[in-house]
Amino acid sequence: SWAQAVDEQEAAAESVNVNLRCYGLLSAQSLLNKLIRSNLVNTTNQVEVLQRIQTLRFNSVKSFEELRLKPQLLQGVYGMGFNRPSKIQETALPMMLAEPPQNLIAQSQSGTGKTAAFVLAMLSHVDPNNKYPQCLCVSPTYELALQTGKVIEQMGKHYPEVKLVYAIRGNKSGMKLQEQIVIGTPGTMLDWCTKFKFIDPKKIKVFVLDEADVMIATQGHQDQSIRIQRMLPKNCQMLLFSATFEESVWNFAQRIVPDPNIIKLKREEETLDTIKQYYVLCNCKEEKFQALCNIYGAITIAQAMIFCHTRKTAGWLAGELSREGHQVALLSGEMQVEQRAAVIERFRDGKEKVLVTTNVCARGIDVEQVSVVINFDLPVDKDGNPDNETYLHRIGRTGRFGKRGLAINMVDSKMSMNILNRIQEHFNKKIEKLNTDDLDEIE
Ligand code: ADP
């Protein structure tokens, strides 16, 4: 019926919307992570490996020398300040560099060394004497592709014969490519292989699909990637990487990578064990601000992150704090990813001592040196229930790398007291009351 058709149309429109939102958020977060990541993420977890052929054993390596890399590449690796392979690289690199080439699906959280690993594999496999594309690398967005391109340039610094080109719209006009490595988004890459024929897919030796979880959140990327993969020769090495691994990612991965070796590295669990948690009772936001000032007057805080529920509160608080003479950084939702990265970087470098932010903005960022976290507003979900996951992520520390920390929660109503109690129950960890007129007890 007509009414049903309208319903279906609206439902379809809504699902496209959800996809768009999802796409924007995921790829932006991923880019932000890359822009601010200057170090490996530590992990104590063990790598899980599922090898394709039981008789073919790949030993993990503890040094880059054991990999017998080209000297130019070893120089590039050391030039980047890498002393030894990361957890995931120890296992993944011997597989990726083996002869014959091994296919691989690898999953580990962002910052664990996946990009560096597949860049090294691509650079190792190209023949610089052949002036045509031999490696294709697809990323979900152009900005993400650029970040990977930068790693290729850094690691290949002493190997200038190997050239790189970005598959972006309007970049090329009617010429076969001479560059050995092509990196870009699936749509353009597909066009370059089919419509424009800048790339001969039959000559590709390595195909990399990065950020598979972000990739599948975009309509069309999945099909385009599969269409590219179908054109590649049988002996082409297929590599797929993802930070997370739900069912949908796994299904996609298996369509892209035949006969895969599989490597997984579990995320480090966050805990509240080394955190002292307090709450402060107030009546309104002005009182909360006063309490905050008292805390600052009483204890030495090297750097603090303060979380607010809305942009408006965050903006107001940042203003009040600067008026008090604090050097404040404000991270806000309307900022571009690059601007956000710049704010976080300045804060990391200690240029500002306080970072005021909303929850959405702060998702996925870690600032390791921060020892004090203040929940100016408690984290709640859209239904007003306690958001325990966000609470843990804001103040928790991972494994034994975690330093001791201090968390202070501002309570300003019966409702927020209720939220606090539920958070306390959920984690089964006492949150102590703090009297901000008498602050001897903390520190
Ligand atoms: P992922 O792709 O998993 O997000 P990256 O490859 O981007 O991880 O690595 C994260 C950070 O760690 C980058 O700053 C990178 O330069 C650095 N890094 C990667 N491998 C090593 C290593 N073996 N030793 C030291 N630092 C490394």
Side-chain angles (χ1 to χ4, degrees), residues 72-102:
Q72 306 93 304
L73 292 178
L74 194 60
Q75 212 181 340
V77 167
Y78 287 140
M80 290 177 82
F82 301 179
N83 296 323
R84 52 196 176 77
S86 71
K87 263 265 170 56
I88 194 113
Q89 290 164 358
E90 286 178 359
T91 319
L93 283 171
M95 281 181 189
M96 290 197 282
L97 300 177
E99 277 303 331
Q102 296 291 307

Side-chain angles (χ1 to χ4, degrees), residues 34 37-40 64 82 84-86 89 109-116:
K34 288 208 188 287
R37 179 84 64 212
S38 50
N39 277 312
L40 269 176
F64 285 110
F82 301 179
R84 52 196 176 77
S86 71
Q89 290 164 358
Q109 76 184 86
S110 100
T112 46
K114 297 186 295 297
T115 307

Side-chain angles (χ1 to χ4, degrees), residues 184-213:
T185 48
T188 311
M189 193 77 90
L190 180 63
D191 282 350
W192 283 21
C193 290
T194 54
K195 216 192 283 171
F196 302 115
K197 303 206 170 0
F198 298 155
I199 301 167
D200 179 357
K202 285 281 162 269
K203 291 183 174 159
I204 301 303
K205 295 199 276 194
V206 185
F207 177 59
V208 178
L209 192 143
D210 192 20
E211 312 237 15
D213 49 350

